[in-house]
Amino acid sequence: MNTKTLDQIKNEYYGEIGMPERDRLERELEALRIGFKIRNAREKLNMAQAEFIFSPDINSLITSLYQGNFFSSYFL
């Protein structure tokens, strides 16, 4: 049986790291991971989406992420 790692499969189907298609895939996967973490945090706090987004702590976090240019590298 020929077992492959996840990295080997991604290299085979999407190219090596640094190739445009692979970089796009990695950005999308990272955005998905972040989205799941945000949703899990919101659910642990038993907050609706609007409550979560407009809470002072989350609002300052989002502002600092924008100012740190975080979103431009992951979501564009």
Side-chain angles (χ1 to χ4, degrees):
M1 182 166 141
N2 186 9
T3 305
K4 293 182 180 183
T5 66
L6 179 58
D7 284 334
Q8 288 171 328
I9 293 169
K10 288 193 282 187
N11 287 344
E12 185 178 326
Y13 288 97
Y14 298 103
E16 300 286 328
I17 292 177
M19 300 297 290
E21 182 69 13
R22 175 70 180 269
D23 289 345
R24 182 192 60 76
L25 174 73
E26 296 295 335
R27 283 192 307 272
E28 289 178 5
L29 289 173
E30 185 63 22
L32 186 63
R33 286 183 201 108
I34 292 168
F36 280 125
K37 288 180 182 182
I38 290 170
R39 185 180 68 189
N40 289 338
R42 178 182 61 80
E43 288 174 349
K44 282 183 182 179
L45 296 171
N46 293 318
M47 298 176 86
Q49 288 179 346
E51 291 175 307
F52 188 73
I53 291 170
F54 293 114
S55 82
D57 293 335
I58 299 304
N59 203 358
S60 64
L61 172 65
I62 291 170
T63 300
S64 69
L65 290 173
Y66 271 117
Q67 289 175 349
N69 225 3
F70 173 82
F71 288 105
S72 66
S73 64
Y74 280 99
F75 300 106
L76 297 179

